[in-house]
Amino acid sequence: MSEPRPHLLKVKNLKKYYAARQGMFGDGSGTVKAIDGISFHIEQGETLGLVGESGSGKTTTGRVILRAVEPTEGQVLFRLNGGGITDFTALPKQALRAFRRNVQMIFQDPYSSLNPRMTVRDIIAEPLVVSGLAKGSEIDDRVRQVALRCQLNIEHLRRYPHAFSGGQRQRIGIARALVVNPKFVVCDEPVSALDVSIQAQILNLLMDAQQEFGLTYLFIAHDLSVVEHVSNRVAVMYLGRIVELAPTSKLFYQPLHPYTEALMSAIPDLDPDRMMQPKILEGEIPSPANPPRGCHFHPRCAYAQEICKTTVPEFKEYKPGQFAACHFADQLQLQGALKSN
Ligand SMILES: Nc1ncnc2c1ncn2[C@@H]1O[C@H](COP(=O)(O)OP(=O)(O)O)[C@@H](O)[C@H]1O
Ligand code: SF4
Ligand SMILES: [Mg+2]
């Protein structure tokens, strides 16, 4: 195993609660626990994948880490270039603005995330202008440089985003994120809205840029084969909590949490001799305004016992670097995804 790298980011007991909208969940009261006490770190230069069904709190996690929304509780600590620790959650407004250029986001939907009334040049330049990092001709030089790096045609900088395909729009979104030389980027489902034929090109661009600029990624996706391809480690979320976090191959092939096993069993497999029956996840993910007691997963878990209905399982390390929140993580013999070759 490779040497552990220094931590770039530490998330401690992070929570984001929303007031449930009137009538949203029947009784018109209560709290949506979109993230309910998550802790993890990301090493310098690594990609941490974040997976889980829709509504499990992935986007909220990315947004709270970047302070696009304020956390209800908890800390987000950054350590850039091996220097001092910055408590990002506690930065006052002025310092926050200066620090923000270090952290950027790439969005899922390249159709709605780009302002249709701005030219491509202005869209890419905006973060530079807002942060005051460059002036005058420096701005155009930097925009051209990053556009070329993202394989955009310089002639196209004068056009508006509607003129472009999904893949090209995502290149614009990536150029906009990279223009300020960030250290950390949240990629929120960056290829989910794209044709499969285009996905690999965008993933390659993201991975090449990571190598070239020493970037650290939080990579959110629901396509597990994409996550396996790009991630060093993967965290699995369920109803606002992380239920398993492990190095990618451990998580995929020797999972410790029944929810991870169920996700893995649903990956399409090319091998006709495959013995594993998919563990169908029955029912919808429950509402985070009214989650099941004890282990949130118990109503859907094939291994649930009495204790699971009453007692929240502790999230702890069962094998080196492999964390899980299940009362029986050290007893169950779970099956991972099957390699198709
Ligand atoms: N602004 C908000 N107000 C109320 N509830 C929200 C808000 N944003 C997200 N949520 C709720 O938080 C939960 C997690 O959402 P999200 O982070 O978008 O999940 P994911 O990205 O995993 O699909 C969902 O139940 C969602 O409805
Ligand atoms: S704690 Fe119980 S219900 Fe939860 S995942 Fe483990 S076995 Fe299943
Ligand atoms: Mg999302």
Side-chain angles (χ1 to χ4, degrees):
M1 266 177 79
S2 56
E3 283 287 300
R5 293 172 278 198
H7 297 175
L8 179 109
L9 171 69
K10 252 188 192 175
V11 170
K12 289 188 178 173
N13 194 29
L14 201 62
K15 297 182 181 175
K16 179 64 190 178
Y17 294 175
Y18 291 107
R21 286 191 292 270
Q22 275 283 327
M24 193 170 156
F25 296 107
D27 61 356
S29 63
T31 308
V32 178
K33 296 181 176 175
I35 327 176
D36 195 16
I38 59 173
S39 301
F40 59 89
H41 71 267
I42 309 183
E43 292 170 10
Q44 174 91 46
E46 92 165 328
T47 297
L48 179 71
L50 186 58
V51 302
E53 284 164 288
S54 179
S56 55
K58 304 180 299 296
T59 294
T60 306
T61 300
R63 288 170 58 79
V64 172
I65 289 176
L66 301 188
R67 267 183 83 178
V69 289
E70 294 292 333
T72 304
E73 205 180 302
Q75 281 183 309
V76 176
L77 306 173
F78 278 98
R79 183 178 212 149
L80 303 181
N81 308 321
I85 292 172
T86 302
D87 183 351
F88 193 48
T89 24
L91 278 186
K93 248 191 173 156
Q94 201 67 25
L96 179 64
R97 197 170 308 148
F99 191 86
R100 264 231 163 96
R101 57 158 286 230
N102 295 300
V103 296
Q104 294 291 315
M105 188 145 180
I106 294 166
F107 297 91
Q108 168 172 5
D109 186 356
Y111 291 89
S112 62
S113 58
L114 306 178
N115 187 335
R117 284 179 292 278
M118 285 167 77
T119 63
V120 172
R121 182 264 177 209
D122 288 349
I123 288 171
I124 298 175
E126 190 177 48
L128 267 186
V129 175
V130 170
S131 63
L133 276 174
K135 293 208 166 49
S137 64
E138 286 169 9
I139 295 178
D140 282 302
D141 290 348
R142 178 71 189 138
V143 168
R144 267 197 295 272
Q145 191 188 11
V146 78
L148 280 174
R149 182 62 195 81
C150 295
Q151 287 136 4
L152 289 162
N153 186 334
I154 298 298
E155 297 300 310
H156 293 170
L157 291 174
R158 277 173 287 156
R159 297 193 187 168
Y160 291 85
H162 67 81
F164 296 95
S165 66
Q168 283 174 310
R169 285 183 206 217
Q170 198 55 299
R171 289 181 193 279
I172 298 167
I174 294 170
R176 178 181 157 90
L178 298 186
V179 76
V180 287
N181 272 324
K183 302 284 185 282
F184 174 68
V185 182
V186 173
C187 307
D188 189 0
E189 309 255 12
V191 298
S192 306
L194 304 178
D195 288 349
V196 174
S197 59
I198 308 294
Q199 289 188 359
Q201 296 173 15
I202 297 297
L203 290 175
N204 285 339
L205 171 59
L206 287 170
M207 290 196 291
D208 290 348
Q210 177 172 42
Q211 285 296 317
E212 196 171 330
F213 307 119
L215 299 171
T216 303
Y217 289 151
L218 177 65
F219 192 99
I220 300 170
H222 63 259
D223 183 331
L224 292 165
S225 52
V226 167
V227 171
E228 184 187 14
H229 186 58
V230 303
S231 308
N232 301 95
R233 294 182 302 141
V234 179
V236 180
M237 275 190 96
Y238 190 75
L239 277 181
R241 294 181 184 158
I242 294 180
V243 297
E244 182 159 2
L245 193 161
T248 305
S249 62
K250 294 276 178 215
L251 190 109
F252 273 73
Y253 299 105
Q254 293 161 33
L256 291 180
H257 196 285
Y259 180 60
T260 314
E261 181 187 52
L263 290 180
M264 294 307 153
S265 75
I267 297 178
D269 192 52
L270 301 176
D271 182 355
D273 297 331
R274 172 185 159 102
M275 298 299 288
M276 187 176 182
Q277 289 297 316
K279 299 209 162 22
I280 306 297
L281 275 168
E282 284 181 17
E284 292 282 295
I285 188 168
S287 158
N290 188 19
R293 273 164 51 88
C295 173
H296 284 349
F297 188 53
H298 83 255
R300 301 168 86 190
C301 181
Y303 309 97
Q305 308 281 330
E306 276 310 304
I307 184 178
C308 307
K309 297 180 187 165
T310 54
T311 309
V312 178
E314 193 188 342
F315 181 68
K316 61 181 188 189
E317 191 169 12
Y318 284 93
K319 293 183 181 170
Q322 188 163 14
F323 297 78
C326 170
H327 293 301
F328 305 104
D330 50 1
Q331 295 167 37
L332 298 172
Q333 297 291 321
L334 303 181
Q335 195 155 34
L338 294 186
K339 286 198 170 91
S340 54
N341 52 5

